């Protein structure tokens, strides 16, 4: 079975099986020999930022000589991106072999696409004997397939309104779902969450007797500076005082995410007897491998790729753009999913936009070109449409002049299609 055949099969056969409950995943993993029980490491949830924290944790572990298994979602171009071993994607044939080996069990338990992917990650990491697994929650937390993993450290990065049809229409309901990853006596690292969601998470941590460490109280990221080259900030946690930390990620919010990862790693190292090196911490933050999140594709003229796909993410993106280019309007290439609050996302973006290039990405959930254009027109921002994200990207580049900047995003699907178009263009040039 070749890659495209495999992907078509797994999507068509299993993507409709989504059901938020853990019984069938428990049964599936039990018959696989409970591979998750052989793993140690980190479990990370949150509305935004969880992927960045996971990527930073991978970098921190690798910089200290630890073998890693990283499981994140979604992929941007290739399915194998969802798994990384020691910082590298495994060969497709390795993933395919695991799928085929357990396909009868996937069929028996009517597993979903995400449950299959999670089970493959657990089995792959067990067979590879990784020292530290970094597992990103897919949706929510309490009933997510990854929640059968028992980590050394848990983290909840942020709480915002997203996936409201599944998780609930208030931040408190969403917080309750994400707090479901808190395990008895397992330290929890919490981002800058405030109000009712923060109290709910704190109460759950107390109930589980899970030590709690909070951004802004127990650890801090201060004195931020940022440019297209990345972030500089000071970090404080207990006896750790690290000034002028440099990171290759952009955005004030990323300083918080990196501080969550630093705190999680330092506590983890203490639990597992790992000697922490300041030099290694510093090196790790300059080598975080996380594409599509404030990723600078070009510095002159500036072209930035960002996967902000909800209102909270767009607000963070605009804050970063205002710091990079105060008072300056920029161009955007956008394709947003219809089940997001795309009207509010576009309203916010229109306030910063010189021009917007619109398309409909390949997701079946994508808002149409017409739906998005109708919202942009309400705000009087010039716009152009294209039949595909790749065409919109090439059009935007052809019209990008000296002194202008282009930001591409609105969805991780859009990010993946831009990266695929860029890869194709580079291949044609070479």
């Amino acid at each position: 079975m070749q890659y495209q055949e495999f992907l078509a099969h797994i999507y068509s056969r299993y993507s409709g099986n989504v059901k938020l409950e853990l019984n069938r995943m428990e049964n599936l993993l039990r018959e696989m020999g409970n591979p998750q029980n052989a793993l140690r490491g980190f479990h990370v949830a949150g509305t935004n930022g969880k992927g960045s924290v996971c990527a930073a944790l991978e970098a921190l572990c690798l910089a200290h000589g630890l073998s890693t298994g990283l499981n994140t979602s979604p992929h941007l171009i290739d399915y194998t991106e969802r798994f990384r071993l020691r910082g590298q994607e495994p060969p497709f044939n390795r993933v395919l072999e695991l799928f085929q080996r357990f396909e009868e069990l996937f069929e028996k338990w009517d597993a979903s696409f995400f449950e299959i992917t999670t089970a493959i990650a657990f089995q792959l990491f067990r067979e590879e004997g990784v020292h530290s697994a970094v597992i990103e929650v897919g949706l929510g937390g309490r009933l997510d397939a990854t929640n059968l993993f028992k980590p050394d450290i848990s983290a909840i990065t942020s709480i915002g309104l997203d996936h409201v049809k599944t998780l609930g229409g208030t931040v408190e309901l969403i917080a309750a779902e994400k707090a479901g990853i808190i395990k008895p006596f397992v330290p929890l690292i919490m981002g800058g969450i405030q109000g009712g969601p923060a109290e709910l998470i704190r109460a759950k941590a107390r109930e589980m007797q899970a030590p709690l460490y909070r951004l802004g109280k127990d650890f801090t990221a201060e004195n931020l500076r940022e440019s297209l080259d990345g972030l500089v900030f000071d970090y404080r946690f207990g006896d750790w005082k690290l000034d002028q930390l440099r990171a290759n990620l952009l955005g004030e919010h990323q300083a918080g995410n990196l501080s969550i990862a630093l705190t999680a790693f330092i506590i983890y190292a203490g639990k597992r007897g790992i000697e922490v090196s300041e030099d290694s911490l510093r090196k790790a933050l300059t080598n975080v491998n996380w594409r599509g999140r404030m990723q600078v594709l070009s510095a002159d003229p500036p072209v930035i790729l960002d996967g902000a796909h909800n209102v909270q993410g767009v607000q963070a993106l605009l804050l970063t753009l205002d710091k990079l280019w105060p008072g300056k309007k920029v161009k955007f290439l956008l394709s947003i999913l219809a089940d997001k609050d795309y009207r509010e996302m576009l309203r916010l973006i229109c306030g910063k936009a010189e021009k917007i290039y619109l398309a409909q990405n390949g997701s079946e959930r994508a808002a149409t070109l017409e739906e998005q254009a109708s919202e942009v027109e309400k705000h009087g921002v010039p716009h152009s449409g294209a039949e595909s994200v790749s065409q919109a990207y090439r059009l935007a580049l052809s019209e990008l002049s000296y002194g202008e900047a282009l930001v591409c995003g609105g969805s991780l699907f859009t990010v993946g299609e831009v990266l695929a178009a860029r890869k194709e263009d580079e291949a044609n040039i070479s």
Side-chain angles (χ1 to χ4, degrees):
M1 186 183 294
Q2 298 302 308
Y3 175 76
Q4 291 300 335
E5 182 185 357
F6 163 77
L7 207 60
H9 171 66
I10 196 171
Y11 271 132
S12 62
R13 173 63 187 86
Y14 300 102
S15 61
N17 295 355
V18 177
K19 184 180 179 183
L20 279 182
E21 52 94 4
L22 290 178
N23 288 340
R24 64 183 182 184
M25 189 65 177
E26 287 175 336
N27 291 327
L28 169 62
L29 291 176
R30 185 185 67 252
E31 292 206 36
M32 291 176 64
N34 283 316
Q36 78 282 4
N37 291 345
L39 305 179
R40 304 281 299 271
F42 308 88
H43 194 206
V44 184
T47 302
N48 291 300
K50 58 184 183 290
S52 299
V53 170
C54 287
L57 284 168
E58 176 196 54
L60 288 162
C61 289
L62 289 173
H64 284 82
L66 309 177
S67 63
T68 56
L70 174 67
N71 176 219
T72 59
S73 62
H75 62 273
L76 298 178
I77 301 177
D78 296 320
Y79 178 75
T80 51
E81 294 170 31
R82 293 169 179 259
F83 321 92
R84 284 211 298 248
L85 290 167
R86 301 167 182 84
Q88 302 295 321
E89 293 173 31
F92 165 66
N93 285 341
R94 180 78 169 95
V95 176
L96 177 62
E97 185 275 325
L98 286 170
F99 171 78
Q100 291 176 327
R101 194 195 315 169
F102 295 105
E103 187 171 12
E104 288 187 4
L105 290 181
F106 299 153
E107 292 279 354
K108 175 180 178 180
W109 294 110
D110 198 27
S112 70
F113 175 91
F114 186 76
E115 288 167 340
I116 290 170
T117 302
T118 302
I120 289 173
F122 289 158
Q123 183 67 24
L124 177 65
F125 297 166
R126 176 171 71 172
E127 291 184 5
E128 292 292 327
V130 302
H131 179 280
S132 301
V134 184
I135 309 294
E136 179 189 16
V137 169
L139 180 64
R142 181 175 63 93
L143 298 176
D144 188 75
T146 64
N147 205 27
L148 296 175
F149 169 55
K150 295 178 174 58
D152 293 87
I153 307 290
S154 301
I156 301 176
T157 59
S158 66
I159 301 294
L161 288 175
D162 202 7
H163 302 292
V164 294
K165 290 183 179 179
T166 305
L167 301 180
T170 69
V171 288
E172 287 78 15
L173 287 172
I174 291 171
E177 290 299 316
K178 297 187 187 303
I181 72 163
I182 301 173
K183 305 293 192 303
F185 310 108
V186 173
L188 173 70
I189 319 301
M190 188 172 81
I193 301 166
Q194 304 295 325
E199 180 49 44
L200 193 151
I201 292 170
R202 287 197 297 267
K204 186 67 174 179
R206 287 193 298 269
E207 176 190 337
M208 293 292 179
Q209 299 183 58
L212 178 63
Y213 302 86
R214 292 172 284 174
L215 174 62
K217 184 178 188 300
D218 302 297
F219 62 98
T220 60
E222 301 171 329
N223 302 323
L224 275 65
R225 299 192 304 280
E226 55 188 315
S227 68
L228 285 180
D229 295 326
L231 278 174
V232 180
F233 66 99
D234 298 340
Y235 169 76
R236 299 287 185 270
F237 172 52
D239 293 333
W240 286 93
K241 295 178 174 59
L242 302 176
D243 292 332
Q244 304 288 297
L245 283 174
R246 297 183 178 275
N248 64 337
L249 300 182
L250 279 176
E252 181 177 335
H253 59 291
Q254 294 290 21
N257 291 332
L258 293 168
S259 296
I260 291 169
L262 283 165
T263 306
F265 180 78
I266 289 168
I267 296 170
Y268 175 70
K271 289 186 69 173
R272 299 202 64 183
I274 299 161
E275 183 177 351
V276 179
S277 156
E278 179 177 338
D279 286 345
S280 295
L281 294 180
R282 290 183 179 276
K283 178 183 176 183
L285 296 195
T286 64
N287 289 292
V288 179
N289 179 6
W290 198 229
R291 293 194 300 169
R293 283 76 170 180
M294 289 304 294
Q295 179 181 353
V296 179
L297 298 181
S298 167
D300 188 18
V303 179
I304 292 176
L305 194 58
D306 188 61
H309 56 277
N310 52 38
V311 170
Q312 188 180 35
V314 167
Q315 289 170 335
L317 166 63
L318 294 176
L319 179 63
T320 299
L321 296 179
D322 283 337
K323 289 188 174 183
L324 292 174
W325 300 297
K328 177 182 175 180
K329 291 185 179 292
V330 301
K331 292 182 173 180
F332 288 84
L333 183 165
L334 300 171
S335 177
I336 305 174
L337 301 186
D339 58 4
K340 304 294 181 178
D341 190 355
Y342 70 90
R343 294 179 177 85
E344 177 63 11
M345 292 169 67
L346 286 169
R347 184 190 72 79
L348 290 169
I349 289 169
C350 281
K352 185 70 174 176
E354 175 186 345
K355 181 175 180 178
I356 298 178
Y357 299 86
L358 295 167
Q360 179 175 342
N361 64 44
S363 170
E364 61 185 17
R365 296 154 51 205
T368 66
L369 178 60
E370 293 74 19
E371 287 171 331
Q372 295 174 94
S374 175
E375 293 303 314
V376 172
E377 287 166 2
K378 293 177 182 178
H379 305 286
V381 176
H383 64 89
S384 294
E387 292 184 1
S388 67
V389 169
S390 61
Q391 288 184 19
Y393 173 63
R394 291 170 180 133
L395 174 62
L397 286 183
S398 72
E399 296 183 356
L400 192 62
S401 303
Y402 179 79
E404 296 180 330
L406 174 66
V407 179
C408 309
S411 164
L412 288 172
F413 290 98
T414 307
V415 165
E417 290 177 34
V418 170
L419 287 172
R422 182 177 174 82
K423 183 177 180 181
E424 181 181 336
D425 292 346
E426 290 174 345
N428 289 336
I429 292 173
S430 62

